[in-house]
Structure formats: C-alpha cells, structure tokens
Amino acid sequence: MQIDITLSAADTTPDRVAHRSVAVIDVFRATSVMVTALEHGIRKIIPVTTVEEAEALRASYLSQGERVITGGERNAVKIAGFDRDNSPYSYMDDRALEGKTFIMSTTNGTRAVNASRTAAAIYIAAMLNYRAVCSRIIEDNRDVTLVCSGRENRFTLEDALCAGMMADELLQRTGNAELSDIAWSLRDLYLLYRNDMKRGLSRSRHYNDLLRLGFAGDIDYCLQCGVTDKVPVVDERFQITG
Amino acid sequence: MQIDITLSAADTTPDRVAHRSVAVIDVFRATSVMVTALEHGIRKIIPVTTVEEAEALRASYLSQGERVITGGERNAVKIAGFDRDNSPYSYMDDRALEGKTFIMSTTNGTRAVNASRTAAAIYIAAMLNYRAVCSRIIEDNRDVTLVCSGRENRFTLEDALCAGMMADELLQRTGNAELSDIAWSLRDLYLLYRNDMKRGLSRSRHYNDLLRLGFAGDIDYCLQCGVTDKVPVVDERFQITG
C-alpha cells in the first residue's frame, strides 16, 4: 500500500488521487462538523462552494417537500441567511436534525472534496473518526492519499497532524506500507507532538485565530481522537452519507 | 520578519514570494552545483529549462567569442551533447572553468528560480552555504520565503530539511521572526533529524534513487553544512553570479 499526503486543494492534482482511496481532512472544522452531523441524525450532506448555490439548492429541495438545513462559514463565522454556523456543537440536536439534508458551504473543505474527484473512493476524515477511516482504507486494499484541505490553499498544521496520525496508524496496522517523503515527514511530526497536541498546535495560525474568535470549545471537541466509528462516504454526485 | 516556505515550483505562486527575499534550494544537486561552480571560477550561470534552449544559447555565446560550458542532468544523468553532468565534483577544476559562462539545465531547479520572479531578491541556497545566505537575508531586512525546488512538483525531504535548517537559523539570529505553519513544521523536523541527517534522509526517495545510481559521494558532499560563504544572486535577467 502506497501512502501519500496532499497539503491543500491546490496541491491535490488529479494524478495525486486517481484510482486511490482518499480521505479528505479539515479538522477545524468542516470534516469534524460533517462527522458530527451524520452522527446526530443528518441523512445526507451536500457540500457546495458558493452561498448562491446553497440558496438555490435549498429552494429546490423545499419545493420538493424535502426537509433541509443550510450551514457553514465564511472566515469562521455563520453566513448571513444560513440556518446554522460551522461549530460541531450546532449539530448535536438529533430531534431537529433527524432525516434532514444538510447543505454545507465552507471556505476550504468543499474545494478539497472537489479536487479529489478522480479517486476510487472518498471518505471524510477528522481526528474524531480517524481510526475508523483507516480501517475502511485497509479494507479497500488500494493505494491511499490523505488530502488535507489546508487554509486558502496553504499548509495548515492541524490537518497535517491528522494526516500524519493516519499515516502512522496505516503503517502500524499494515506493517508494510510505502510512504512518500511528505507522508514520512508528517508521520514523524505527529509522533513529535502526539503527547501534547495543543502545544504543537500553539504555533498554528488557524488554531490561534479560532481561539481569538472564542472557539476554544470547538477546538477541544475537534481534537478528540478516534471517538466515533462513523465513516462518511462521498458518492459520485459528491453527496455525503454515512 | 515573516518566514514562509514553499515546497516545489508548483507551490511557489507569485503571492508567496512577491517583494520578499527568496532563497531557492535544490540540495540534490542543482543549487549545490551552482554554489560549487561559482566557487571554482565560473563567472556566470544561466539556468535554462530545455536542452534546445541550452544548445541555442551556447551557439550564440560561441559566435560572440565567449567561453562557455553546458551542464546539468535529466533524471540524474548527463544530457547527451552537454559538456558536463550535474555532479558538484565535475565543477572543481578552476583552471578549466575560470571566467566561463555555465549554461545549466536541470529537471527541477530552473523551474523554481522562474517561479520566484516576483521576489525582491533571489539567492541560491544549499546546505553548503546556508549560513551565509541567512546572513544576506538578515541584512535585507525583508520578509523571506525559502523556496524548495522539490521533485516533479512534489515535496522532497532534503530540500525541506535545508529550508527547516535555514528557518531555525533565521529564528535564532533575529530572535523575533514570525513563522508560517509550514515553516514551524519544517524547522521542527530539522531539529528532529539534525544529529543524524542521513538517517532522516534514508526515507527520502530522491536520496535512495541517487544512492542506487552510484552517487553516494555527491550526497556526502551536498550534505556538508555551512562550509562556504558564497551567496549566488539571481539578477533580473535570471542570470546567476556570486
């Protein structure tokens, strides 16, 4: 099994993911939110790039009598006119969410999913469900690329650490994986920080920005490792279920 | 002083380098060769992308009575029809090199120099001269981006470690640099491997490929850290002197 890692949507060219099992990672907070929402009753998630697409899709679903919510963020805050923001804590009310379709728009995560379209299979990964996603990848028995969403097409540390953690898990469990240079490096970086993730992340710009905006609770939630076996799958229409 | 690092020519978009002091790194072996050639008498280096450009330029220089050599590699080996290959050991004969222009074509290094064209200043860096390049960068007193040439537009470990080493040097000497996420990560990776660079590099694909091709001597040479104060400068016509 070959293991590779891309660092942003821009880095995720078709050749890096074609025919592979792919896990898309956006720890703060898109993929953490996706996993949480599906755990709490959401039936299907449709990631879209623009606010306009989201509004149009919502109108279309409502006209067909479907139950739908809109959520996400721009620059970490709730989009005007959307139902919910991008905090995992906004997706834990099962009774209100049960069976609904969640139309989601975020700054980075949706681009990374789109960039992965040549993959054989696409899973949604966060620290929350990393072990379960690794199990699915091992079952697939294909080469794998872990796709970090990054931030504005640049490397962001929390996604890189999640990818490194998954590379380490896959290496340990298969015993014979072949890692690219970046996969080895991020795995070693993860091992360096594993006993104090927050200290390692204290240099991360995104981490610090979220703290400044008052999202310490979201951070703590998203840094929980392997607490759910939910493995969201992206289908050929780019809709996510799990 | 802000410190950023790009991981390949493809990663080096104009916004990452504009108005900054830039150091282009290609440890195995383009920038190591450039530093060595200038140390041993070469007057000027002209990096070109294609073999055809190199041949045309050579013909033009010769017709003007200029003394010129062609050198470089494709897939690590000497290009048919060129004077020399891409081993630093091929550029140590001062008497034959003195005053000549060196037309150079390599798979990755020349692309990274081109990608840096919006920079305020471009220097050529390798492990050989990393400390001297850092001194020049500190004198410039601008924000800096360390540009790794990478390999086929992907992260390669030896360039990343050189960049991490330079980020650490700049951080220590300025005492107040602001590092991007990738700069922090590569600096930490360098600190992890610094006492045994070869063990760290043993996972690098490029390192292993070069060993397999018989270039162990070149590797040892290129891993020498801070042994020369030669700082090659790329001018506005993309010609390199120092």
Side-chain angles (χ1 to χ4, degrees):
Chain A
M1 172 193 277
Q2 289 192 13
I3 304 174
D4 194 13
I5 300 177
T6 58
L7 303 177
S8 70
D11 193 32
T12 311
T13 47
D15 60 297
R16 301 291 292 276
V17 292
H19 315 307
R20 291 190 169 214
S21 288
V22 160
V24 175
I25 299 162
D26 189 345
V27 175
F28 297 149
R29 293 159 286 166
T31 57
S32 301
V33 165
M34 290 179 189
V35 169
T36 305
L38 288 164
E39 273 230 289
H40 289 277
I42 285 291
R43 188 175 63 89
K44 179 169 77 178
I45 302 172
I46 306 180
V48 297
T49 323
T50 68
V51 171
E52 293 68 33
E53 275 179 82
E55 302 284 14
L57 209 53
R58 185 223 311 245
S60 162
Y61 268 87
L62 288 175
S63 71
Q64 293 163 60
E66 291 252 6
R67 293 156 68 242
V68 62
I69 61 163
T70 52
E73 53 76 24
R74 280 298 181 276
N75 301 316
V77 297
K78 183 163 157 323
I79 299 162
F82 271 38
D83 297 315
R84 298 177 184 226
D85 62 12
N86 201 39
S87 167
Y89 289 109
S90 300
Y91 299 87
M92 295 182 181
D93 50 333
D94 296 61
R95 277 202 295 175
L97 298 179
E98 190 63 49
K100 281 185 178 158
T101 294
F102 170 17
I103 300 166
M104 184 179 187
S105 185
T106 66
T107 318
N108 302 296
T110 44
R111 271 188 277 174
V113 170
N114 283 342
S116 306
R117 60 193 169 282
T118 55
I122 307 173
Y123 306 112
I124 296 296
M127 293 195 186
L128 295 167
N129 69 341
Y130 88 98
R131 232 179 251 120
V133 177
C134 287
S135 298
R136 182 70 63 90
I137 285 169
I138 290 167
E139 276 169 36
D140 285 353
N141 200 25
R142 292 183 198 102
D143 292 335
V144 57
T145 296
L146 308 169
V147 169
C148 297
S149 297
R151 202 184 181 205
E152 286 151 23
N153 280 325
R154 295 181 193 200
F155 175 101
T156 192
L157 189 50
E158 65 278 3
D159 292 346
L161 286 180
C162 185
M165 180 163 68
M166 292 177 73
D168 182 62
E169 180 81 1
L170 290 166
L171 186 61
Q172 306 251 27
R173 287 169 60 178
T174 58
N176 68 346
E178 227 182 279
L179 273 59
S180 62
D181 279 28
I182 186 66
W184 275 120
S185 294
L186 295 186
R187 181 252 185 173
D188 283 350
L189 207 66
Y190 157 69
L191 292 179
L192 191 62
Y193 293 149
R194 79 192 307 186
N195 293 325
D196 195 348
M197 280 282 210
K198 279 192 188 172
R199 199 182 61 83
L201 282 168
S202 65
R203 291 84 172 262
S204 159
R205 290 193 174 175
H206 197 183
Y207 176 87
N208 281 290
D209 288 348
L210 287 173
L211 276 180
R212 209 168 18 252
L213 288 165
F215 290 118
D218 281 21
I219 285 169
D220 283 347
Y221 177 87
C222 295
L223 293 184
Q224 296 174 94
C225 294
V227 295
T228 172
D229 55 12
K230 182 66 72 179
V231 179
V233 179
V234 182
D235 70 20
E236 58 287 339
R237 286 174 306 163
F238 287 96
Q239 299 188 352
I240 302 168
T241 52
Chain B
M1 171 194 277
Q2 289 192 13
I3 303 175
D4 194 13
I5 299 176
T6 58
L7 304 177
S8 71
D11 194 31
T12 311
T13 48
D15 59 298
R16 300 291 293 276
V17 292
H19 316 306
R20 290 188 169 216
S21 288
V22 161
V24 176
I25 298 162
D26 190 344
V27 174
F28 298 148
R29 294 159 286 165
T31 57
S32 300
V33 165
M34 291 179 189
V35 169
T36 305
L38 288 164
E39 273 229 291
H40 289 277
I42 284 292
R43 188 176 63 90
K44 178 169 77 179
I45 302 171
I46 306 179
V48 297
T49 322
T50 67
V51 172
E52 294 67 32
E53 275 179 82
E55 303 283 13
L57 209 54
R58 187 224 310 245
S60 162
Y61 268 85
L62 288 175
S63 71
Q64 293 165 58
E66 290 251 8
R67 294 156 64 241
V68 62
I69 60 165
T70 52
E73 53 77 24
R74 277 302 180 276
N75 301 317
V77 296
K78 181 164 158 319
I79 298 162
F82 271 37
D83 297 316
R84 299 178 184 224
D85 60 13
N86 201 37
S87 167
Y89 287 109
S90 301
Y91 298 89
M92 294 181 181
D93 50 334
D94 297 61
R95 277 201 295 176
L97 298 178
E98 191 63 49
K100 282 186 178 157
T101 293
F102 170 17
I103 299 166
M104 185 179 188
S105 183
T106 66
T107 318
N108 303 295
T110 43
R111 271 189 279 176
V113 170
N114 282 342
S116 305
R117 60 191 169 283
T118 55
I122 307 174
Y123 306 111
I124 296 297
M127 293 195 187
L128 295 167
N129 69 340
Y130 88 97
R131 231 178 251 121
V133 176
C134 287
S135 298
R136 182 70 64 89
I137 286 170
I138 290 167
E139 277 168 36
D140 285 354
N141 200 26
R142 292 183 198 101
D143 293 335
V144 57
T145 296
L146 308 170
V147 169
C148 297
S149 297
R151 201 184 182 203
E152 283 150 25
N153 280 324
R154 295 182 192 195
F155 174 101
T156 190
L157 190 49
E158 65 278 4
D159 292 347
L161 287 180
C162 184
M165 180 163 69
M166 292 177 72
D168 182 62
E169 179 81 1
L170 291 166
L171 185 61
Q172 307 250 25
R173 286 168 61 179
T174 58
N176 69 345
E178 227 183 279
L179 272 60
S180 63
D181 279 28
I182 186 66
W184 273 121
S185 294
L186 294 186
R187 181 254 186 168
D188 283 350
L189 206 66
Y190 158 70
L191 291 180
L192 190 63
Y193 294 147
R194 79 193 306 189
N195 293 325
D196 196 346
M197 279 282 210
K198 279 191 186 173
R199 199 182 61 82
L201 282 168
S202 65
R203 291 85 172 259
S204 159
R205 290 191 176 177
H206 197 183
Y207 176 88
N208 281 290
D209 288 348
L210 287 172
L211 277 180
R212 208 167 19 249
L213 288 166
F215 290 117
D218 282 20
I219 287 169
D220 284 346
Y221 178 87
C222 295
L223 292 184
Q224 298 174 93
C225 293
V227 294
T228 171
D229 56 13
K230 181 68 70 179
V231 179
V233 178
V234 183
D235 71 20
E236 59 286 337
R237 286 175 305 165
F238 287 96
Q239 299 188 354
I240 302 167
T241 53

